[in-house]
Amino acid sequence: MRIFKGLIVALVILAILVVVNYICNSKGIEINAVAEGTIAAVGAMLIYGGLTKEKKKD
C-alpha cells in the first residue's frame, strides 16, 4: 500500500511542477532547476511521511 501512496505523491508533485513550469515559461520567468528540484523532493518526502505515519492506538 505504501508504494501506491509514494507513486501518487510523486505523480501529483510532477503534475504541479509541469503546471508551474508552463506558467513561468509563458510569462518569461526563468526558474532555477536545482532549487525547484530540492523543494519538490523535500515537499514530496514530507507529504509521504504524513500519509504513511502510524497512528497511535491508546
Side-chain angles (χ1 to χ4, degrees):
M1 186 66 165
R2 287 187 177 186
I3 190 75
F4 293 118
K5 287 181 183 179
L7 182 63
I8 290 170
V9 169
L11 290 175
V12 169
I13 295 291
L14 180 63
I16 291 171
L17 289 176
V18 167
V19 171
V20 168
N21 279 324
Y22 178 77
I23 292 170
C24 289
N25 285 338
S26 67
K27 303 274 184 191
I29 300 170
E30 188 81 23
I31 295 179
N32 185 350
V34 174
E36 181 185 15
T38 303
I39 292 170
V42 170
M45 287 189 299
L46 291 173
I47 293 169
Y48 178 75
L51 288 175
T52 59
K53 185 167 56 171
E54 301 266 338
K55 295 187 173 108
K56 292 183 179 180
K57 296 180 182 176
D58 292 330

